[in-house]
PDB file of all heavy atoms in Angstrom:
ATOM      1  N   LEU B  47     -87.056  11.038  88.606  1.00 89.00           N
ATOM      2  CA  LEU B  47     -85.734  10.490  88.218  1.00 89.00           C
ATOM      3  C   LEU B  47     -85.275   9.508  89.261  1.00 89.00           C
ATOM      4  O   LEU B  47     -84.769   8.406  88.940  1.00 89.00           O
ATOM      5  CB  LEU B  47     -84.785  11.652  88.092  1.00 89.00           C
ATOM      6  CG  LEU B  47     -83.656  11.519  87.077  1.00 89.00           C
ATOM      7  CD1 LEU B  47     -84.180  10.989  85.771  1.00 89.00           C
ATOM      8  CD2 LEU B  47     -83.056  12.854  86.850  1.00 89.00           C
ATOM      9  N   GLY B  48     -85.417   9.812  90.523  1.00 93.00           N
ATOM     10  CA  GLY B  48     -85.004   8.869  91.597  1.00 93.00           C
ATOM     11  C   GLY B  48     -85.716   7.531  91.457  1.00 93.00           C
ATOM     12  O   GLY B  48     -85.066   6.496  91.513  1.00 93.00           O
ATOM     13  N   ALA B  49     -87.101   7.586  91.258  1.00 91.00           N
ATOM     14  CA  ALA B  49     -87.793   6.372  91.146  1.00 91.00           C
ATOM     15  C   ALA B  49     -87.583   5.605  89.823  1.00 91.00           C
ATOM     16  O   ALA B  49     -87.729   4.414  89.825  1.00 91.00           O
ATOM     17  CB  ALA B  49     -89.281   6.708  91.290  1.00 91.00           C
ATOM     18  N   LEU B  50     -87.218   6.382  88.745  1.00 87.00           N
ATOM     19  CA  LEU B  50     -86.800   5.640  87.534  1.00 87.00           C
ATOM     20  C   LEU B  50     -85.475   4.922  87.640  1.00 87.00           C
ATOM     21  O   LEU B  50     -85.237   3.921  86.985  1.00 87.00           O
ATOM     22  CB  LEU B  50     -86.757   6.690  86.365  1.00 87.00           C
ATOM     23  CG  LEU B  50     -88.075   7.253  85.901  1.00 87.00           C
ATOM     24  CD1 LEU B  50     -87.825   8.462  84.994  1.00 87.00           C
ATOM     25  CD2 LEU B  50     -88.887   6.215  85.129  1.00 87.00           C
ATOM     26  N   ILE B  51     -84.599   5.476  88.515  1.00 92.00           N
ATOM     27  CA  ILE B  51     -83.240   4.841  88.602  1.00 92.00           C
ATOM     28  C   ILE B  51     -83.250   3.683  89.613  1.00 92.00           C
ATOM     29  O   ILE B  51     -82.733   2.654  89.328  1.00 92.00           O
ATOM     30  CB  ILE B  51     -82.172   5.913  89.022  1.00 92.00           C
ATOM     31  CG1 ILE B  51     -82.125   7.030  87.954  1.00 92.00           C
ATOM     32  CG2 ILE B  51     -80.854   5.265  89.288  1.00 92.00           C
ATOM     33  CD1 ILE B  51     -81.198   8.232  88.350  1.00 92.00           C
ATOM     34  N   ILE B  52     -83.897   3.922  90.758  1.00 92.00           N
ATOM     35  CA  ILE B  52     -83.876   2.948  91.844  1.00 92.00           C
ATOM     36  C   ILE B  52     -85.250   2.273  91.918  1.00 92.00           C
ATOM     37  O   ILE B  52     -86.241   3.039  92.003  1.00 92.00           O
ATOM     38  CB  ILE B  52     -83.511   3.562  93.176  1.00 92.00           C
ATOM     39  CG1 ILE B  52     -82.184   4.292  93.047  1.00 92.00           C
ATOM     40  CG2 ILE B  52     -83.376   2.534  94.296  1.00 92.00           C
ATOM     41  CD1 ILE B  52     -81.824   5.104  94.305  1.00 92.00           C
ATOM     42  N   PRO B  53     -85.424   0.998  91.907  1.00 91.00           N
ATOM     43  CA  PRO B  53     -84.388   0.005  91.967  1.00 91.00           C
ATOM     44  C   PRO B  53     -84.010  -0.607  90.615  1.00 91.00           C
ATOM     45  O   PRO B  53     -83.175  -1.490  90.534  1.00 91.00           O
ATOM     46  CB  PRO B  53     -84.998  -1.158  92.805  1.00 91.00           C
ATOM     47  CG  PRO B  53     -86.456  -1.034  92.442  1.00 91.00           C
ATOM     48  CD  PRO B  53     -86.738   0.409  92.075  1.00 91.00           C
ATOM     49  N   GLY B  54     -84.560  -0.064  89.530  1.00 88.00           N
ATOM     50  CA  GLY B  54     -84.311  -0.728  88.210  1.00 88.00           C
ATOM     51  C   GLY B  54     -82.844  -0.876  87.791  1.00 88.00           C
ATOM     52  O   GLY B  54     -82.466  -1.846  87.187  1.00 88.00           O
ATOM     53  N   VAL B  55     -81.989   0.097  88.278  1.00 91.00           N
ATOM     54  CA  VAL B  55     -80.605   0.084  87.840  1.00 91.00           C
ATOM     55  C   VAL B  55     -79.854  -1.132  88.320  1.00 91.00           C
ATOM     56  O   VAL B  55     -78.945  -1.553  87.744  1.00 91.00           O
ATOM     57  CB  VAL B  55     -79.959   1.359  88.358  1.00 91.00           C
ATOM     58  CG1 VAL B  55     -79.915   1.417  89.917  1.00 91.00           C
ATOM     59  CG2 VAL B  55     -78.593   1.540  87.806  1.00 91.00           C
ATOM     60  N   PHE B  56     -80.369  -1.792  89.405  1.00 93.00           N
ATOM     61  CA  PHE B  56     -79.722  -2.942  89.929  1.00 93.00           C
ATOM     62  C   PHE B  56     -79.957  -4.229  89.098  1.00 93.00           C
ATOM     63  O   PHE B  56     -79.358  -5.265  89.379  1.00 93.00           O
ATOM     64  CB  PHE B  56     -80.086  -3.151  91.364  1.00 93.00           C
ATOM     65  CG  PHE B  56     -79.668  -1.968  92.246  1.00 93.00           C
ATOM     66  CD1 PHE B  56     -80.626  -1.119  92.809  1.00 93.00           C
ATOM     67  CD2 PHE B  56     -78.337  -1.713  92.467  1.00 93.00           C
ATOM     68  CE1 PHE B  56     -80.260  -0.045  93.509  1.00 93.00           C
ATOM     69  CE2 PHE B  56     -77.931  -0.621  93.227  1.00 93.00           C
ATOM     70  CZ  PHE B  56     -78.933   0.238  93.744  1.00 93.00           C
ATOM     71  N   SER B  57     -80.911  -4.173  88.150  1.00 88.00           N
ATOM     72  CA  SER B  57     -81.149  -5.376  87.396  1.00 88.00           C
ATOM     73  C   SER B  57     -81.139  -5.095  85.898  1.00 88.00           C
ATOM     74  O   SER B  57     -81.821  -5.751  85.127  1.00 88.00           O
ATOM     75  CB  SER B  57     -82.498  -5.980  87.786  1.00 88.00           C
ATOM     76  OG  SER B  57     -83.507  -4.974  87.803  1.00 88.00           O
ATOM     77  N   ALA B  58     -80.368  -4.080  85.428  1.00 86.00           N
ATOM     78  CA  ALA B  58     -80.287  -3.769  83.994  1.00 86.00           C
ATOM     79  C   ALA B  58     -79.622  -4.957  83.221  1.00 86.00           C
ATOM     80  O   ALA B  58     -80.066  -5.224  82.122  1.00 86.00           O
ATOM     81  CB  ALA B  58     -79.527  -2.456  83.810  1.00 86.00           C
ATOM     82  N   THR B  59     -78.616  -5.533  83.784  1.00 88.00           N
ATOM     83  CA  THR B  59     -78.058  -6.741  83.191  1.00 88.00           C
ATOM     84  C   THR B  59     -78.124  -7.857  84.150  1.00 88.00           C
ATOM     85  O   THR B  59     -77.213  -8.147  84.864  1.00 88.00           O
ATOM     86  CB  THR B  59     -76.506  -6.545  82.704  1.00 88.00           C
ATOM     87  OG1 THR B  59     -75.838  -5.954  83.818  1.00 88.00           O
ATOM     88  CG2 THR B  59     -76.387  -5.680  81.550  1.00 88.00           C
ATOM     89  N   PRO B  60     -79.299  -8.544  84.129  1.00 89.00           N
ATOM     90  CA  PRO B  60     -79.596  -9.502  85.198  1.00 89.00           C
ATOM     91  C   PRO B  60     -78.565 -10.632  85.206  1.00 89.00           C
ATOM     92  O   PRO B  60     -78.300 -11.212  86.316  1.00 89.00           O
ATOM     93  CB  PRO B  60     -80.981 -10.089  84.839  1.00 89.00           C
ATOM     94  CG  PRO B  60     -81.442  -9.232  83.637  1.00 89.00           C
ATOM     95  CD  PRO B  60     -80.393  -8.452  83.136  1.00 89.00           C
ATOM     96  N   GLN B  61     -77.981 -10.993  84.056  1.00 90.00           N
ATOM     97  CA  GLN B  61     -77.054 -12.081  84.050  1.00 90.00           C
ATOM     98  C   GLN B  61     -75.755 -11.768  84.697  1.00 90.00           C
ATOM     99  O   GLN B  61     -74.927 -12.618  85.099  1.00 90.00           O
ATOM    100  CB  GLN B  61     -76.778 -12.627  82.634  1.00 90.00           C
ATOM    101  CG  GLN B  61     -76.038 -11.736  81.670  1.00 90.00           C
ATOM    102  CD  GLN B  61     -76.815 -10.564  81.035  1.00 90.00           C
ATOM    103  OE1 GLN B  61     -77.732  -9.961  81.729  1.00 90.00           O
ATOM    104  NE2 GLN B  61     -76.657 -10.367  79.810  1.00 90.00           N
ATOM    105  N   MET B  62     -75.476 -10.468  84.915  1.00 92.00           N
ATOM    106  CA  MET B  62     -74.280 -10.017  85.622  1.00 92.00           C
ATOM    107  C   MET B  62     -74.509  -8.585  86.090  1.00 92.00           C
ATOM    108  O   MET B  62     -73.984  -7.621  85.458  1.00 92.00           O
ATOM    109  CB  MET B  62     -73.093 -10.071  84.582  1.00 92.00           C
ATOM    110  CG  MET B  62     -71.721  -9.766  85.182  1.00 92.00           C
ATOM    111  SD  MET B  62     -70.501  -9.728  83.825  1.00 92.00           S
ATOM    112  CE  MET B  62     -69.015  -9.342  84.739  1.00 92.00           C
ATOM    113  N   PRO B  63     -75.225  -8.436  87.153  1.00 91.00           N
ATOM    114  CA  PRO B  63     -75.677  -7.075  87.558  1.00 91.00           C
ATOM    115  C   PRO B  63     -74.542  -5.987  87.674  1.00 91.00           C
ATOM    116  O   PRO B  63     -74.741  -4.932  87.332  1.00 91.00           O
ATOM    117  CB  PRO B  63     -76.303  -7.263  88.901  1.00 91.00           C
ATOM    118  CG  PRO B  63     -76.733  -8.723  88.917  1.00 91.00           C
ATOM    119  CD  PRO B  63     -75.678  -9.428  88.064  1.00 91.00           C
ATOM    120  N   HIS B  64     -73.340  -6.475  88.118  1.00 93.00           N
ATOM    121  CA  HIS B  64     -72.323  -5.455  88.305  1.00 93.00           C
ATOM    122  C   HIS B  64     -71.757  -4.978  86.968  1.00 93.00           C
ATOM    123  O   HIS B  64     -71.065  -3.966  86.951  1.00 93.00           O
ATOM    124  CB  HIS B  64     -71.231  -5.901  89.259  1.00 93.00           C
ATOM    125  CG  HIS B  64     -70.460  -7.122  88.802  1.00 93.00           C
ATOM    126  ND1 HIS B  64     -70.885  -8.422  88.865  1.00 93.00           N
ATOM    127  CD2 HIS B  64     -69.311  -7.203  88.155  1.00 93.00           C
ATOM    128  CE1 HIS B  64     -70.023  -9.218  88.387  1.00 93.00           C
ATOM    129  NE2 HIS B  64     -68.965  -8.523  87.898  1.00 93.00           N
ATOM    130  N   ALA B  65     -72.025  -5.649  85.856  1.00 93.00           N
ATOM    131  CA  ALA B  65     -71.494  -5.225  84.515  1.00 93.00           C
ATOM    132  C   ALA B  65     -72.161  -3.799  84.257  1.00 93.00           C
ATOM    133  O   ALA B  65     -71.451  -2.894  83.891  1.00 93.00           O
ATOM    134  CB  ALA B  65     -71.869  -6.212  83.516  1.00 93.00           C
ATOM    135  N   SER B  66     -73.466  -3.745  84.315  1.00 92.00           N
ATOM    136  CA  SER B  66     -74.087  -2.479  84.002  1.00 92.00           C
ATOM    137  C   SER B  66     -73.888  -1.473  85.165  1.00 92.00           C
ATOM    138  O   SER B  66     -73.717  -0.299  84.882  1.00 92.00           O
ATOM    139  CB  SER B  66     -75.599  -2.610  83.756  1.00 92.00           C
ATOM    140  OG  SER B  66     -76.242  -3.155  84.940  1.00 92.00           O
ATOM    141  N   LEU B  67     -73.761  -1.971  86.372  1.00 95.00           N
ATOM    142  CA  LEU B  67     -73.545  -1.001  87.481  1.00 95.00           C
ATOM    143  C   LEU B  67     -72.203  -0.292  87.364  1.00 95.00           C
ATOM    144  O   LEU B  67     -72.089   0.908  87.671  1.00 95.00           O
ATOM    145  CB  LEU B  67     -73.620  -1.746  88.801  1.00 95.00           C
ATOM    146  CG  LEU B  67     -75.099  -2.044  89.320  1.00 95.00           C
ATOM    147  CD1 LEU B  67     -75.098  -2.758  90.606  1.00 95.00           C
ATOM    148  CD2 LEU B  67     -75.781  -0.727  89.521  1.00 95.00           C
ATOM    149  N   ILE B  68     -71.156  -1.056  87.006  1.00 96.00           N
ATOM    150  CA  ILE B  68     -69.862  -0.472  86.815  1.00 96.00           C
ATOM    151  C   ILE B  68     -69.890   0.557  85.634  1.00 96.00           C
ATOM    152  O   ILE B  68     -69.343   1.631  85.736  1.00 96.00           O
ATOM    153  CB  ILE B  68     -68.732  -1.441  86.676  1.00 96.00           C
ATOM    154  CG1 ILE B  68     -68.613  -2.219  87.976  1.00 96.00           C
ATOM    155  CG2 ILE B  68     -67.362  -0.901  86.250  1.00 96.00           C
ATOM    156  CD1 ILE B  68     -67.688  -3.402  87.979  1.00 96.00           C
ATOM    157  N   GLY B  69     -70.607   0.180  84.594  1.00 95.00           N
ATOM    158  CA  GLY B  69     -70.798   1.100  83.400  1.00 95.00           C
ATOM    159  C   GLY B  69     -71.442   2.348  83.878  1.00 95.00           C
ATOM    160  O   GLY B  69     -71.008   3.442  83.497  1.00 95.00           O
ATOM    161  N   ILE B  70     -72.527   2.240  84.645  1.00 94.00           N
ATOM    162  CA  ILE B  70     -73.272   3.436  85.092  1.00 94.00           C
ATOM    163  C   ILE B  70     -72.368   4.201  86.127  1.00 94.00           C
ATOM    164  O   ILE B  70     -72.447   5.394  86.164  1.00 94.00           O
ATOM    165  CB  ILE B  70     -74.574   2.957  85.714  1.00 94.00           C
ATOM    166  CG1 ILE B  70     -75.543   2.501  84.575  1.00 94.00           C
ATOM    167  CG2 ILE B  70     -75.267   4.160  86.441  1.00 94.00           C
ATOM    168  CD1 ILE B  70     -76.572   1.524  85.057  1.00 94.00           C
ATOM    169  N   GLY B  71     -71.556   3.458  86.807  1.00 96.00           N
ATOM    170  CA  GLY B  71     -70.589   4.160  87.756  1.00 96.00           C
ATOM    171  C   GLY B  71     -69.668   5.068  86.928  1.00 96.00           C
ATOM    172  O   GLY B  71     -69.383   6.217  87.374  1.00 96.00           O
ATOM    173  N   PHE B  72     -69.240   4.563  85.823  1.00 96.00           N
ATOM    174  CA  PHE B  72     -68.368   5.439  84.958  1.00 96.00           C
ATOM    175  C   PHE B  72     -69.161   6.668  84.557  1.00 96.00           C
ATOM    176  O   PHE B  72     -68.672   7.783  84.592  1.00 96.00           O
ATOM    177  CB  PHE B  72     -67.998   4.659  83.707  1.00 96.00           C
ATOM    178  CG  PHE B  72     -67.419   5.580  82.643  1.00 96.00           C
ATOM    179  CD1 PHE B  72     -66.146   6.036  82.733  1.00 96.00           C
ATOM    180  CD2 PHE B  72     -68.211   6.013  81.595  1.00 96.00           C
ATOM    181  CE1 PHE B  72     -65.600   6.893  81.764  1.00 96.00           C
ATOM    182  CE2 PHE B  72     -67.767   6.952  80.678  1.00 96.00           C
ATOM    183  CZ  PHE B  72     -66.432   7.399  80.685  1.00 96.00           C
ATOM    184  N   ALA B  73     -70.476   6.448  84.171  1.00 95.00           N
ATOM    185  CA  ALA B  73     -71.323   7.575  83.728  1.00 95.00           C
ATOM    186  C   ALA B  73     -71.424   8.573  84.845  1.00 95.00           C
ATOM    187  O   ALA B  73     -71.320   9.805  84.675  1.00 95.00           O
ATOM    188  CB  ALA B  73     -72.690   7.075  83.329  1.00 95.00           C
ATOM    189  N   CYS B  74     -71.667   8.093  86.088  1.00 96.00           N
ATOM    190  CA  CYS B  74     -71.771   8.952  87.258  1.00 96.00           C
ATOM    191  C   CYS B  74     -70.482   9.806  87.487  1.00 96.00           C
ATOM    192  O   CYS B  74     -70.542  11.005  87.656  1.00 96.00           O
ATOM    193  CB  CYS B  74     -72.054   8.196  88.479  1.00 96.00           C
ATOM    194  SG  CYS B  74     -73.684   7.440  88.504  1.00 96.00           S
ATOM    195  N   ALA B  75     -69.353   9.066  87.421  1.00 97.00           N
ATOM    196  CA  ALA B  75     -68.097   9.765  87.690  1.00 97.00           C
ATOM    197  C   ALA B  75     -67.820  10.827  86.667  1.00 97.00           C
ATOM    198  O   ALA B  75     -67.363  11.975  86.969  1.00 97.00           O
ATOM    199  CB  ALA B  75     -66.912   8.698  87.716  1.00 97.00           C
ATOM    200  N   PHE B  76     -68.083  10.488  85.375  1.00 96.00           N
ATOM    201  CA  PHE B  76     -67.766  11.443  84.363  1.00 96.00           C
ATOM    202  C   PHE B  76     -68.735  12.630  84.402  1.00 96.00           C
ATOM    203  O   PHE B  76     -68.319  13.755  84.287  1.00 96.00           O
ATOM    204  CB  PHE B  76     -67.905  10.828  82.941  1.00 96.00           C
ATOM    205  CG  PHE B  76     -67.346  11.613  81.830  1.00 96.00           C
ATOM    206  CD1 PHE B  76     -66.044  11.400  81.390  1.00 96.00           C
ATOM    207  CD2 PHE B  76     -68.077  12.632  81.254  1.00 96.00           C
ATOM    208  CE1 PHE B  76     -65.504  12.151  80.449  1.00 96.00           C
ATOM    209  CE2 PHE B  76     -67.509  13.414  80.196  1.00 96.00           C
ATOM    210  CZ  PHE B  76     -66.181  13.187  79.809  1.00 96.00           C
ATOM    211  N   ALA B  77     -70.047  12.377  84.711  1.00 94.00           N
ATOM    212  CA  ALA B  77     -70.992  13.453  84.820  1.00 94.00           C
ATOM    213  C   ALA B  77     -70.612  14.363  85.988  1.00 94.00           C
ATOM    214  O   ALA B  77     -70.825  15.572  85.952  1.00 94.00           O
ATOM    215  CB  ALA B  77     -72.407  12.904  85.034  1.00 94.00           C
ATOM    216  N   TRP B  78     -70.074  13.724  87.086  1.00 95.00           N
ATOM    217  CA  TRP B  78     -69.684  14.552  88.240  1.00 95.00           C
ATOM    218  C   TRP B  78     -68.575  15.460  87.922  1.00 95.00           C
ATOM    219  O   TRP B  78     -68.553  16.649  88.249  1.00 95.00           O
ATOM    220  CB  TRP B  78     -69.349  13.629  89.389  1.00 95.00           C
ATOM    221  CG  TRP B  78     -68.918  14.282  90.641  1.00 95.00           C
ATOM    222  CD1 TRP B  78     -67.595  14.715  90.918  1.00 95.00           C
ATOM    223  CD2 TRP B  78     -69.672  14.752  91.747  1.00 95.00           C
ATOM    224  NE1 TRP B  78     -67.597  15.339  92.110  1.00 95.00           N
ATOM    225  CE2 TRP B  78     -68.858  15.386  92.683  1.00 95.00           C
ATOM    226  CE3 TRP B  78     -71.063  14.561  92.042  1.00 95.00           C
ATOM    227  CZ2 TRP B  78     -69.309  15.846  93.883  1.00 95.00           C
ATOM    228  CZ3 TRP B  78     -71.530  15.100  93.255  1.00 95.00           C
ATOM    229  CH2 TRP B  78     -70.642  15.754  94.164  1.00 95.00           C
ATOM    230  N   LEU B  79     -67.547  14.943  87.225  1.00 96.00           N
ATOM    231  CA  LEU B  79     -66.312  15.637  86.933  1.00 96.00           C
ATOM    232  C   LEU B  79     -66.477  16.590  85.825  1.00 96.00           C
ATOM    233  O   LEU B  79     -66.031  17.765  85.862  1.00 96.00           O
ATOM    234  CB  LEU B  79     -65.173  14.665  86.656  1.00 96.00           C
ATOM    235  CG  LEU B  79     -64.811  13.797  87.871  1.00 96.00           C
ATOM    236  CD1 LEU B  79     -63.785  12.693  87.446  1.00 96.00           C
ATOM    237  CD2 LEU B  79     -64.264  14.623  89.016  1.00 96.00           C
ATOM    238  N   ARG B  80     -67.084  16.152  84.696  1.00 93.00           N
ATOM    239  CA  ARG B  80     -67.132  16.944  83.490  1.00 93.00           C
ATOM    240  C   ARG B  80     -68.543  17.402  83.036  1.00 93.00           C
ATOM    241  O   ARG B  80     -68.714  18.230  82.192  1.00 93.00           O
ATOM    242  CB  ARG B  80     -66.423  16.173  82.347  1.00 93.00           C
ATOM    243  CG  ARG B  80     -65.026  15.871  82.588  1.00 93.00           C
ATOM    244  CD  ARG B  80     -64.192  17.087  82.198  1.00 93.00           C
ATOM    245  NE  ARG B  80     -62.733  16.756  82.296  1.00 93.00           N
ATOM    246  CZ  ARG B  80     -62.047  16.163  81.324  1.00 93.00           C
ATOM    247  NH1 ARG B  80     -62.635  15.820  80.192  1.00 93.00           N
ATOM    248  NH2 ARG B  80     -60.748  15.923  81.493  1.00 93.00           N
ATOM    249  N   GLY B  81     -69.544  16.610  83.455  1.00 89.00           N
ATOM    250  CA  GLY B  81     -70.902  16.932  83.005  1.00 89.00           C
ATOM    251  C   GLY B  81     -71.161  16.275  81.624  1.00 89.00           C
ATOM    252  O   GLY B  81     -70.348  15.446  81.204  1.00 89.00           O
ATOM    253  N   GLY B  82     -72.209  16.696  80.986  1.00 87.00           N
ATOM    254  CA  GLY B  82     -72.526  16.184  79.658  1.00 87.00           C
ATOM    255  C   GLY B  82     -73.369  14.865  79.791  1.00 87.00           C
ATOM    256  O   GLY B  82     -73.475  14.291  80.905  1.00 87.00           O
TER     257      GLY B  82
END
Side-chain angles (χ1 to χ4, degrees):
Chain B
L47 212 45
L50 287 167
I51 297 173
I52 306 172
V55 66
F56 299 109
S57 49
T59 46
Q61 70 278 44
M62 187 186 180
H64 64 278
S66 61
L67 280 177
I68 292 174
I70 292 156
F72 166 82
C74 292
F76 194 94
W78 178 274
L79 297 171
R80 296 278 185 83

